[in-house]
Amino acid sequence: MKNLLIHNGRLIDPASGIDGQFDIAVAGGKIAWIGDNQPPAGDYEVIDAAGQVVAPGFIDLHTHLRQPGFENKETIATGTRAAARGGFTTVCAMPNTSPAVDNRTVVDYVNCVAFGEAAVRVLQIGCVSKGRKGESLAEFGEMAAAGVIGFSDDGSSVPTSRLLKQAMEYAAGLGLPIIEHCEDASLADGGQVNEGIVATRLGLAGIPNAAEDAIVARDIALAKLTGARLHLCHISTRGAVDLIRQAKSDGVKVTAEVTPHHLTLTEELCLGYDTNAKVNPPLRTQTDIDALIEGLLDGAIDAIATDHAPHTANDKCCEFALAPFGISGLETALGSLLRLVHCGKLPLPLIIEKLTAAPARIIGKKHGVTGSLGVGDPADIVIFDPDAEWTVDPGKFASRGRNTPLAGERLKGKVTATICRGNTVYREGN
Ligand code: DOR
Ligand code: ZN
Protein backbone atom coordinates (compact mmCIF):
# COMPACT_ATOMS: atom_id res chain seq x y z
CA MET A 1 0.00 0.00 0.00
CA LYS A 2 1.45 3.34 -1.08
CA ASN A 3 1.32 6.50 0.98
CA LEU A 4 -0.94 9.04 -0.69
CA LEU A 5 -0.97 12.80 -0.79
CA ILE A 6 -4.25 14.29 -2.00
CA HIS A 7 -3.36 17.73 -3.12
CA ASN A 8 -5.26 20.92 -4.02
CA GLY A 9 -8.79 19.71 -3.40
CA ARG A 10 -11.72 21.34 -1.59
CA LEU A 11 -11.95 19.26 1.57
CA ILE A 12 -15.46 18.86 2.94
CA ASP A 13 -15.72 16.89 6.19
CA PRO A 14 -18.99 17.78 7.89
CA ALA A 15 -18.15 15.73 11.02
CA SER A 16 -15.20 17.96 11.81
CA GLY A 17 -16.68 21.15 10.38
CA ILE A 18 -14.02 21.46 7.66
CA ASP A 19 -14.81 23.05 4.30
CA GLY A 20 -11.76 24.53 2.60
CA GLN A 21 -8.60 24.09 0.61
CA PHE A 22 -6.57 21.43 2.45
CA ASP A 23 -4.25 18.55 1.57
CA ILE A 24 -4.48 15.08 3.10
CA ALA A 25 -1.69 12.58 3.64
CA VAL A 26 -2.55 8.90 3.98
CA ALA A 27 -0.13 6.40 5.50
CA GLY A 28 -0.63 2.85 6.71
CA GLY A 29 -4.29 2.90 5.66
CA LYS A 30 -5.08 5.85 7.94
CA ILE A 31 -5.41 9.59 7.63
CA ALA A 32 -1.96 10.75 8.72
CA TRP A 33 -2.13 14.50 8.26
CA ILE A 34 -4.39 17.32 7.09
CA GLY A 35 -3.00 20.76 6.39
CA ASP A 36 -2.35 23.55 3.94
CA ASN A 37 1.44 23.58 4.11
CA GLN A 38 4.22 20.95 3.92
CA PRO A 39 3.07 17.38 4.61
CA PRO A 40 5.24 15.21 6.86
CA ALA A 41 8.28 13.91 5.01
CA GLY A 42 7.59 10.70 3.09
CA ASP A 43 7.36 9.02 -0.25
CA TYR A 44 3.89 9.81 -1.59
CA GLU A 45 1.87 9.00 -4.63
CA VAL A 46 0.35 12.41 -5.31
CA ILE A 47 -3.25 12.75 -6.46
CA ASP A 48 -3.98 16.16 -7.90
CA ALA A 49 -7.51 17.06 -6.81
CA ALA A 50 -7.58 20.60 -8.20
CA GLY A 51 -11.17 21.64 -8.93
CA GLN A 52 -12.45 18.60 -7.08
CA VAL A 53 -14.12 17.83 -3.79
CA VAL A 54 -12.40 15.52 -1.30
CA ALA A 55 -14.75 14.01 1.29
CA PRO A 56 -15.08 11.01 3.59
CA GLY A 57 -15.99 7.88 1.61
CA PHE A 58 -19.74 7.51 1.34
CA ILE A 59 -21.51 4.99 3.57
CA ASP A 60 -24.55 3.22 2.14
CA LEU A 61 -26.94 2.01 4.81
CA HIS A 62 -29.03 0.04 2.31
CA THR A 63 -27.47 -2.12 -0.41
CA HIS A 64 -28.70 -5.35 -1.94
CA LEU A 65 -25.64 -7.43 -2.82
CA ARG A 66 -27.77 -10.53 -3.64
CA GLN A 67 -25.14 -13.09 -2.62
CA PRO A 68 -25.83 -15.84 -1.62
CA GLY A 69 -28.53 -17.06 -3.94
CA PHE A 70 -29.06 -14.42 -6.61
CA GLU A 71 -25.58 -14.15 -8.08
CA ASN A 72 -27.13 -13.67 -11.53
CA LYS A 73 -28.37 -10.25 -10.28
CA GLU A 74 -25.24 -9.23 -8.34
CA THR A 75 -22.36 -10.62 -6.33
CA ILE A 76 -20.39 -9.24 -3.42
CA ALA A 77 -17.53 -8.63 -5.88
CA THR A 78 -19.59 -6.78 -8.52
CA GLY A 79 -21.78 -4.90 -6.05
CA THR A 80 -18.81 -3.59 -4.11
CA ARG A 81 -17.05 -2.57 -7.33
CA ALA A 82 -20.17 -0.63 -8.22
CA ALA A 83 -20.01 0.92 -4.74
CA ALA A 84 -16.39 1.96 -5.29
CA ARG A 85 -17.30 3.59 -8.62
CA GLY A 86 -20.08 5.44 -6.85
CA GLY A 87 -17.74 6.79 -4.15
CA PHE A 88 -18.94 4.43 -1.40
CA THR A 89 -16.36 2.88 0.92
CA THR A 90 -18.84 1.06 3.16
CA VAL A 91 -22.04 -0.73 2.22
CA CYS A 92 -24.56 -2.33 4.56
CA ALA A 93 -25.85 -5.47 2.90
CA MET A 94 -29.55 -6.30 3.19
CA PRO A 95 -30.43 -9.86 4.22
CA ASN A 96 -33.06 -10.76 1.58
CA THR A 97 -30.73 -13.28 -0.03
CA SER A 98 -31.26 -17.03 -0.43
CA PRO A 99 -30.74 -18.37 2.12
CA ALA A 100 -31.73 -15.23 3.96
CA VAL A 101 -29.21 -13.84 6.45
CA ASP A 102 -31.06 -15.05 9.52
CA ASN A 103 -28.35 -16.93 11.42
CA ARG A 104 -24.66 -16.79 12.19
CA THR A 105 -23.57 -19.23 9.48
CA VAL A 106 -24.85 -17.00 6.68
CA VAL A 107 -23.37 -13.86 8.29
CA ASP A 108 -20.01 -15.65 8.49
CA TYR A 109 -20.31 -16.83 4.88
CA VAL A 110 -20.91 -13.29 3.60
CA ASN A 111 -18.04 -11.97 5.74
CA CYS A 112 -15.79 -14.65 4.36
CA VAL A 113 -16.61 -13.90 0.70
CA ALA A 114 -16.34 -10.17 1.38
CA PHE A 115 -12.94 -10.65 2.99
CA GLY A 116 -11.64 -12.25 -0.20
CA GLU A 117 -13.57 -10.41 -2.89
CA ALA A 118 -15.08 -7.12 -1.76
CA ALA A 119 -13.67 -3.86 -3.09
CA VAL A 120 -15.05 -1.90 -0.13
CA ARG A 121 -16.08 -2.59 3.45
CA VAL A 122 -19.17 -4.76 3.78
CA LEU A 123 -21.27 -4.56 6.94
CA GLN A 124 -24.36 -6.67 7.31
CA ILE A 125 -27.93 -6.37 8.43
CA GLY A 126 -29.55 -9.56 9.74
CA CYS A 127 -33.18 -10.59 9.28
CA VAL A 128 -35.82 -9.81 11.88
CA SER A 129 -37.65 -13.07 11.26
CA LYS A 130 -36.54 -16.56 10.35
CA GLY A 131 -36.50 -16.88 6.57
CA ARG A 132 -38.05 -13.38 6.42
CA LYS A 133 -41.36 -15.15 6.88
CA GLY A 134 -42.63 -12.79 9.56
CA GLU A 135 -43.45 -15.64 11.95
CA SER A 136 -40.71 -16.08 14.53
CA LEU A 137 -37.61 -14.15 15.45
CA ALA A 138 -34.29 -14.87 13.74
CA GLU A 139 -31.14 -15.64 15.75
CA PHE A 140 -30.53 -12.09 17.02
CA GLY A 141 -27.90 -12.89 19.65
CA GLU A 142 -25.63 -14.97 17.46
CA MET A 143 -25.95 -12.59 14.50
CA ALA A 144 -25.08 -9.67 16.79
CA ALA A 145 -22.02 -11.59 17.97
CA ALA A 146 -21.07 -12.08 14.30
CA GLY A 147 -21.21 -8.32 13.77
CA VAL A 148 -24.53 -7.33 12.18
CA ILE A 149 -25.39 -3.66 12.58
CA GLY A 150 -29.15 -4.12 12.93
CA PHE A 151 -32.12 -6.25 11.91
CA SER A 152 -34.48 -5.89 8.94
CA ASP A 153 -36.96 -7.89 6.88
CA ASP A 154 -36.45 -5.34 4.08
CA GLY A 155 -38.66 -6.01 1.09
CA SER A 156 -41.52 -6.20 3.57
CA SER A 157 -42.49 -4.80 6.95
CA VAL A 158 -42.55 -6.98 10.03
CA PRO A 159 -46.15 -8.12 9.59
CA THR A 160 -47.48 -8.15 13.14
CA SER A 161 -47.10 -5.58 15.88
CA ARG A 162 -46.58 -8.41 18.34
CA LEU A 163 -43.52 -9.81 16.53
CA LEU A 164 -42.14 -6.31 16.02
CA LYS A 165 -42.50 -5.53 19.73
CA GLN A 166 -40.64 -8.70 20.60
CA ALA A 167 -37.95 -7.89 17.99
CA MET A 168 -37.52 -4.42 19.44
CA GLU A 169 -37.14 -5.77 22.97
CA TYR A 170 -34.35 -8.13 21.89
CA ALA A 171 -32.68 -5.57 19.62
CA ALA A 172 -32.72 -2.96 22.40
CA GLY A 173 -30.97 -5.43 24.68
CA LEU A 174 -28.26 -5.83 22.06
CA GLY A 175 -28.01 -2.07 21.44
CA LEU A 176 -28.94 -2.49 17.76
CA PRO A 177 -31.68 -0.87 15.68
CA ILE A 178 -34.67 -2.44 13.96
CA ILE A 179 -34.39 -1.30 10.34
CA GLU A 180 -37.84 -1.26 8.84
CA HIS A 181 -39.23 -1.28 5.32
CA CYS A 182 -42.47 0.61 5.91
CA GLU A 183 -45.36 -0.75 3.91
CA ASP A 184 -48.71 -2.07 5.08
CA ALA A 185 -48.93 -5.29 3.07
CA SER A 186 -52.71 -5.37 2.92
CA LEU A 187 -52.88 -1.82 1.54
CA ALA A 188 -50.02 -2.31 -0.90
CA ASP A 189 -51.06 -5.77 -2.07
CA GLY A 190 -50.92 -6.01 -5.87
CA GLY A 191 -49.82 -2.37 -6.18
CA GLN A 192 -47.32 -1.54 -8.89
CA VAL A 193 -46.90 2.24 -8.78
CA ASN A 194 -47.94 5.18 -6.62
CA GLU A 195 -51.70 5.33 -6.11
CA GLY A 196 -53.02 8.32 -8.00
CA ILE A 197 -53.45 9.74 -11.46
CA VAL A 198 -50.52 7.84 -13.00
CA ALA A 199 -51.77 4.48 -11.71
CA THR A 200 -55.20 5.27 -13.09
CA ARG A 201 -53.86 6.24 -16.51
CA LEU A 202 -51.70 3.12 -16.66
CA GLY A 203 -54.50 0.86 -15.47
CA LEU A 204 -52.29 -0.48 -12.68
CA ALA A 205 -53.08 -1.00 -9.01
CA GLY A 206 -51.62 1.69 -6.78
CA ILE A 207 -49.71 1.75 -3.51
CA PRO A 208 -51.11 4.63 -1.45
CA ASN A 209 -48.97 6.91 0.71
CA ALA A 210 -51.01 5.60 3.62
CA ALA A 211 -49.39 2.16 3.23
CA GLU A 212 -46.12 3.78 4.35
CA ASP A 213 -47.59 6.25 6.83
CA ALA A 214 -49.56 3.57 8.70
CA ILE A 215 -46.47 1.43 9.35
CA VAL A 216 -44.32 4.43 10.26
CA ALA A 217 -46.95 5.40 12.85
CA ARG A 218 -47.19 1.85 14.23
CA ASP A 219 -43.43 1.45 14.43
CA ILE A 220 -42.96 4.77 16.18
CA ALA A 221 -45.59 3.78 18.75
CA LEU A 222 -43.71 0.54 19.43
CA ALA A 223 -40.31 2.25 19.57
CA LYS A 224 -41.77 4.60 22.16
CA LEU A 225 -43.15 1.66 24.13
CA THR A 226 -39.98 -0.45 24.07
CA GLY A 227 -37.32 2.27 24.06
CA ALA A 228 -35.70 0.49 21.10
CA ARG A 229 -33.85 2.22 18.28
CA LEU A 230 -35.84 2.30 15.05
CA HIS A 231 -34.36 3.11 11.65
CA LEU A 232 -36.84 3.67 8.83
CA CYS A 233 -35.80 2.75 5.29
CA HIS A 234 -36.37 4.65 2.05
CA ILE A 235 -38.96 7.13 3.29
CA SER A 236 -41.05 8.36 0.38
CA THR A 237 -44.10 10.26 1.66
CA ARG A 238 -44.86 13.67 3.09
CA GLY A 239 -46.92 12.05 5.85
CA ALA A 240 -44.03 9.86 6.98
CA VAL A 241 -41.68 12.84 7.20
CA ASP A 242 -44.20 14.65 9.43
CA LEU A 243 -44.59 11.60 11.69
CA ILE A 244 -40.81 11.18 12.05
CA ARG A 245 -40.31 14.86 12.81
CA GLN A 246 -42.95 14.69 15.54
CA ALA A 247 -41.53 11.44 16.97
CA LYS A 248 -38.08 12.99 17.20
CA SER A 249 -39.42 15.97 19.05
CA ASP A 250 -41.15 13.53 21.41
CA GLY A 251 -37.78 11.90 22.15
CA VAL A 252 -38.40 8.61 20.32
CA LYS A 253 -35.14 6.98 19.15
CA VAL A 254 -35.99 7.05 15.47
CA THR A 255 -33.79 7.74 12.45
CA ALA A 256 -34.67 7.67 8.76
CA GLU A 257 -33.13 7.47 5.32
CA VAL A 258 -34.23 8.57 1.86
CA THR A 259 -32.96 7.39 -1.54
CA PRO A 260 -31.57 9.49 -4.39
CA HIS A 261 -34.41 8.26 -6.63
CA HIS A 262 -37.17 9.26 -4.22
CA LEU A 263 -35.53 12.70 -3.95
CA THR A 264 -35.24 13.32 -7.67
CA LEU A 265 -37.77 11.25 -9.68
CA THR A 266 -41.56 11.34 -9.79
CA GLU A 267 -44.22 8.79 -10.65
CA GLU A 268 -44.58 10.23 -14.18
CA LEU A 269 -41.46 8.26 -15.08
CA CYS A 270 -43.65 5.14 -15.05
CA LEU A 271 -45.99 6.52 -17.73
CA GLY A 272 -44.13 4.68 -20.49
CA TYR A 273 -44.39 1.40 -18.54
CA ASP A 274 -40.61 1.48 -18.01
CA THR A 275 -40.07 -1.41 -15.60
CA ASN A 276 -36.74 0.18 -14.63
CA ALA A 277 -38.76 2.88 -12.87
CA LYS A 278 -40.67 0.26 -10.87
CA VAL A 279 -39.38 0.45 -7.33
CA ASN A 280 -40.67 -0.12 -3.86
CA PRO A 281 -41.72 2.21 -2.31
CA PRO A 282 -42.93 3.64 -5.61
CA LEU A 283 -41.77 6.94 -7.08
CA ARG A 284 -44.24 9.48 -5.75
CA THR A 285 -45.15 13.12 -6.42
CA GLN A 286 -43.37 16.48 -6.33
CA THR A 287 -45.26 17.28 -3.11
CA ASP A 288 -43.62 14.27 -1.48
CA ILE A 289 -40.21 15.21 -2.88
CA ASP A 290 -40.54 18.74 -1.47
CA ALA A 291 -41.31 17.25 1.97
CA LEU A 292 -38.35 14.85 1.77
CA ILE A 293 -36.04 17.75 0.94
CA GLU A 294 -37.48 19.77 3.82
CA GLY A 295 -36.90 16.73 6.04
CA LEU A 296 -33.24 16.54 5.03
CA LEU A 297 -32.83 20.25 5.73
CA ASP A 298 -34.43 20.26 9.19
CA GLY A 299 -33.04 16.88 10.31
CA ALA A 300 -36.28 14.86 10.23
CA ILE A 301 -34.46 12.67 7.69
CA ASP A 302 -31.00 11.69 8.86
CA ALA A 303 -29.32 9.93 5.97
CA ILE A 304 -29.30 9.22 2.26
CA ALA A 305 -29.08 5.53 1.26
CA THR A 306 -29.26 4.04 -2.22
CA ASP A 307 -31.47 0.94 -1.82
CA HIS A 308 -29.28 -0.38 -4.65
CA ALA A 309 -31.53 -3.20 -5.93
CA PRO A 310 -29.94 -4.88 -8.95
CA HIS A 311 -31.99 -7.17 -11.20
CA THR A 312 -31.13 -8.86 -14.50
CA ALA A 313 -32.34 -7.52 -17.84
CA ASN A 314 -34.44 -10.66 -18.12
CA ASP A 315 -36.10 -10.03 -14.75
CA LYS A 316 -37.13 -6.55 -15.89
CA CYS A 317 -37.92 -7.37 -19.52
CA CYS A 318 -41.57 -8.28 -19.01
CA GLU A 319 -45.01 -6.88 -18.41
CA PHE A 320 -44.92 -4.08 -15.81
CA ALA A 321 -47.00 -6.00 -13.28
CA LEU A 322 -44.66 -9.01 -13.43
CA ALA A 323 -41.38 -7.10 -13.06
CA PRO A 324 -39.57 -7.08 -9.71
CA PHE A 325 -39.19 -3.80 -7.83
CA GLY A 326 -35.79 -2.14 -7.75
CA ILE A 327 -33.30 0.33 -9.18
CA SER A 328 -29.56 -0.23 -9.53
CA GLY A 329 -28.46 2.89 -7.72
CA LEU A 330 -24.87 2.89 -6.50
CA GLU A 331 -23.29 4.30 -9.64
CA THR A 332 -25.78 7.12 -10.22
CA ALA A 333 -26.28 8.22 -6.60
CA LEU A 334 -23.86 11.13 -6.54
CA GLY A 335 -24.79 12.48 -9.98
CA SER A 336 -28.49 12.27 -9.10
CA LEU A 337 -28.03 14.01 -5.75
CA LEU A 338 -25.91 16.76 -7.25
CA ARG A 339 -28.90 17.72 -9.43
CA LEU A 340 -30.38 19.03 -6.18
CA VAL A 341 -27.21 20.99 -5.48
CA HIS A 342 -26.91 22.42 -8.98
CA CYS A 343 -30.51 23.64 -8.90
CA GLY A 344 -30.00 25.23 -5.48
CA LYS A 345 -32.34 22.99 -3.46
CA LEU A 346 -29.73 21.47 -1.14
CA PRO A 347 -26.22 22.59 -0.13
CA LEU A 348 -23.37 20.24 -1.07
CA PRO A 349 -21.98 19.91 2.50
CA LEU A 350 -25.42 18.77 3.70
CA ILE A 351 -25.57 16.03 1.07
CA ILE A 352 -22.10 14.89 2.09
CA GLU A 353 -23.12 14.86 5.75
CA LYS A 354 -26.12 12.66 4.91
CA LEU A 355 -23.82 10.21 3.10
CA THR A 356 -21.02 10.13 5.69
CA ALA A 357 -21.30 11.37 9.27
CA ALA A 358 -25.03 10.61 9.55
CA PRO A 359 -24.91 6.95 8.48
CA ALA A 360 -21.77 6.49 10.61
CA ARG A 361 -23.74 7.67 13.66
CA ILE A 362 -26.51 5.19 12.87
CA ILE A 363 -24.04 2.31 12.49
CA GLY A 364 -22.24 3.28 15.70
CA LYS A 365 -18.55 3.30 16.46
CA LYS A 366 -17.70 -0.35 16.82
CA HIS A 367 -17.11 -1.16 13.15
CA GLY A 368 -14.33 1.39 12.64
CA VAL A 369 -16.50 3.49 10.35
CA THR A 370 -16.25 7.13 11.37
CA GLY A 371 -17.67 8.92 8.33
CA SER A 372 -15.00 11.52 8.94
CA LEU A 373 -11.48 12.50 7.92
CA GLY A 374 -9.95 12.95 11.35
CA VAL A 375 -6.25 12.17 11.78
CA GLY A 376 -6.06 8.48 12.76
CA ASP A 377 -9.37 7.59 11.11
CA PRO A 378 -9.34 4.81 8.48
CA ALA A 379 -8.49 6.42 5.14
CA ASP A 380 -11.91 6.08 3.49
CA ILE A 381 -12.01 8.91 0.99
CA VAL A 382 -13.93 9.93 -2.11
CA ILE A 383 -12.72 12.46 -4.66
CA PHE A 384 -15.25 13.84 -7.11
CA ASP A 385 -15.62 16.54 -9.71
CA PRO A 386 -18.94 18.25 -8.93
CA ASP A 387 -19.10 19.86 -12.37
CA ALA A 388 -18.06 17.00 -14.67
CA GLU A 389 -20.91 15.98 -16.95
CA TRP A 390 -21.46 12.44 -18.12
CA THR A 391 -24.12 10.31 -19.74
CA VAL A 392 -25.50 7.32 -17.85
CA ASP A 393 -24.64 4.17 -19.79
CA PRO A 394 -25.80 1.12 -17.85
CA GLY A 395 -23.73 -1.05 -20.19
CA LYS A 396 -20.68 0.40 -18.47
CA PHE A 397 -21.87 -0.25 -14.90
CA ALA A 398 -19.69 -2.42 -12.68
CA SER A 399 -22.95 -3.66 -11.18
CA ARG A 400 -24.61 -6.63 -12.82
CA GLY A 401 -27.87 -4.71 -12.41
CA ARG A 402 -28.33 -2.36 -15.34
CA ASN A 403 -31.85 -1.58 -14.20
CA THR A 404 -31.90 2.20 -14.05
CA PRO A 405 -34.51 4.60 -15.37
CA LEU A 406 -31.66 7.09 -15.92
CA ALA A 407 -30.11 5.40 -18.98
CA GLY A 408 -29.07 8.10 -21.46
CA GLU A 409 -29.56 10.92 -18.91
CA ARG A 410 -26.89 13.59 -18.47
CA LEU A 411 -25.67 13.89 -14.89
CA LYS A 412 -23.31 16.51 -13.50
CA GLY A 413 -20.96 15.22 -10.81
CA LYS A 414 -18.59 12.34 -11.19
CA VAL A 415 -16.46 10.28 -8.84
CA THR A 416 -12.82 10.31 -9.94
CA ALA A 417 -11.23 8.25 -7.15
CA THR A 418 -12.31 6.16 -4.19
CA ILE A 419 -9.92 5.13 -1.45
CA CYS A 420 -10.90 2.49 1.09
CA ARG A 421 -8.66 1.87 4.12
CA GLY A 422 -5.84 3.58 2.22
CA ASN A 423 -6.21 1.45 -0.94
CA THR A 424 -7.27 3.07 -4.18
CA VAL A 425 -10.28 0.95 -5.07
CA TYR A 426 -11.46 3.08 -7.98
CA ARG A 427 -9.69 5.60 -10.19
CA GLU A 428 -11.38 7.18 -13.19
CA GLY A 429 -10.00 5.83 -16.43
CA ASN A 430 -8.61 2.70 -14.82
O1 DOR B 1 -37.41 -1.75 -4.87
C1 DOR B 1 -37.06 -2.50 -3.99
N1 DOR B 1 -36.26 -3.56 -4.25
N2 DOR B 1 -37.48 -2.30 -2.74
C2 DOR B 1 -37.26 -3.17 -1.75
O2 DOR B 1 -37.70 -2.93 -0.67
C3 DOR B 1 -36.55 -4.44 -2.02
C4 DOR B 1 -35.68 -4.32 -3.19
C5 DOR B 1 -35.14 -5.63 -3.70
O3 DOR B 1 -34.68 -6.43 -2.92
O4 DOR B 1 -35.16 -5.82 -4.94
ZN1 ZN C 1 -37.08 -1.86 1.21
Side-chain angles (χ1 to χ4, degrees):
M1 185 189 304
K2 287 187 206 139
N3 292 345
L4 297 174
L5 182 66
I6 304 167
H7 185 50
N8 273 331
R10 172 182 169 194
L11 194 72
I12 304 182
D13 180 15
S16 43
I18 295 178
D19 182 350
Q21 224 39 62
F22 292 99
D23 292 355
I24 303 186
V26 171
K30 294 194 169 3
I31 309 281
W33 171 86
I34 294 179
D36 56 2
N37 46 14
Q38 273 304 104
D43 184 16
Y44 296 107
E45 176 188 336
V46 178
I47 299 182
D48 182 12
Q52 308 212 33
V53 172
V54 180
F58 302 147
I59 300 169
D60 192 13
L61 288 172
H62 194 141
T63 314
H64 295 275
L65 292 178
R66 306 295 193 208
Q67 189 175 358
F70 303 108
E71 289 85 351
N72 55 334
K73 296 178 192 274
E74 192 78 287
T75 65
I76 290 166
T78 58
T80 55
R81 276 208 295 125
R85 288 173 70 98
F88 293 87
T89 51
T90 299
V91 296
C92 300
M94 276 294 174
N96 60 340
T97 49
S98 179
V101 184
D102 64 359
N103 66 75
R104 176 158 199 155
T105 309
V106 192
V107 178
D108 287 346
Y109 168 79
V110 170
N111 276 336
C112 214
V113 177
F115 183 76
E117 298 174 18
V120 304
R121 188 183 290 99
V122 175
L123 301 177
Q124 291 183 71
I125 296 163
C127 287
V128 168
S129 67
K130 281 197 179 126
R132 288 181 63 252
K133 290 200 173 84
E135 289 160 8
S136 58
L137 283 193
E139 304 287 353
F140 276 27
E142 55 171 59
M143 288 196 287
V148 302
I149 60 146
F151 304 100
S152 180
D153 275 357
D154 183 51
S156 6
S157 290
V158 177
T160 67
S161 308
R162 186 184 179 86
L163 185 66
L164 181 61
K165 173 169 174 279
Q166 202 185 16
M168 283 182 167
E169 286 163 351
Y170 276 89
L174 296 163
L176 293 173
I178 294 295
I179 300 173
E180 179 84 312
H181 169 119
C182 302
E183 180 183 50
D184 180 297
S186 64
L187 277 179
D189 189 32
Q192 305 294 325
V193 292
N194 184 41
E195 184 170 292
I197 189 85
V198 168
T200 307
R201 278 183 62 185
L202 291 173
L204 295 170
I207 302 174
N209 281 27
E212 180 163 314
D213 303 351
I215 295 293
V216 169
R218 174 197 76 167
D219 286 18
I220 286 171
L222 289 173
K224 202 169 183 176
L225 175 69
T226 58
R229 284 174 60 204
L230 170 66
H231 177 72
L232 302 173
C233 295
H234 43 52
I235 288 304
S236 72
T237 68
R238 171 173 284 273
V241 178
D242 290 343
L243 287 163
I244 296 162
R245 186 179 292 117
Q246 182 62 46
K248 285 187 168 179
S249 79
D250 293 345
V252 180
K253 287 183 225 151
V254 60
T255 54
E257 69 187 35
V258 62
T259 69
H261 49 269
H262 289 112
L263 282 169
T264 55
L265 307 175
T266 60
E267 57 176 352
E268 280 83 13
L269 218 57
C270 299
L271 279 171
Y273 292 99
D274 179 4
T275 57
N276 289 321
K278 178 175 174 179
V279 66
N280 187 3
L283 300 178
R284 305 235 187 232
T285 65
Q286 192 58 47
T287 309
D288 295 298
I289 291 183
D290 292 345
L292 295 168
I293 290 176
E294 237 171 75
L296 281 173
L297 283 167
D298 71 14
I301 308 260
D302 301 81
I304 298 173
T306 69
D307 190 11
H308 174 73
H311 293 289
T312 67
N314 251 349
D315 295 332
K316 284 283 197 179
C317 185
C318 58
E319 209 177 288
F320 199 92
L322 298 177
F325 293 96
I327 291 176
S328 179
L330 284 166
E331 290 165 84
T332 53
L334 179 70
S336 295
L337 293 168
L338 288 192
R339 281 183 163 171
L340 299 168
V341 174
H342 293 306
C343 73
K345 289 197 172 165
L346 286 174
L348 179 59
L350 180 112
I351 288 202
I352 294 177
E353 201 260 335
K354 303 285 179 184
L355 288 166
T356 59
R361 273 197 302 276
I362 292 165
I363 291 168
K365 291 226 160 30
K366 58 181 177 281
H367 294 277
V369 178
T370 64
S372 170
L373 295 174
V375 170
D377 282 341
D380 292 352
I381 303 169
V382 59
I383 307 174
F384 64 87
D385 183 338
D387 297 311
E389 290 194 44
W390 57 290
T391 303
V392 179
D393 176 359
K396 295 203 176 116
F397 280 4
S399 171
R400 284 201 176 155
R402 277 88 201 267
N403 48 308
T404 173
L406 298 175
E409 292 279 318
R410 296 285 289 169
L411 295 179
K412 196 170 158 193
K414 196 170 191 199
V415 173
T416 58
T418 306
I419 294 146
C420 182
R421 302 180 181 107
N423 294 303
T424 305
V425 292
Y426 171 68
R427 191 85 195 260
E428 193 184 21
N430 287 356

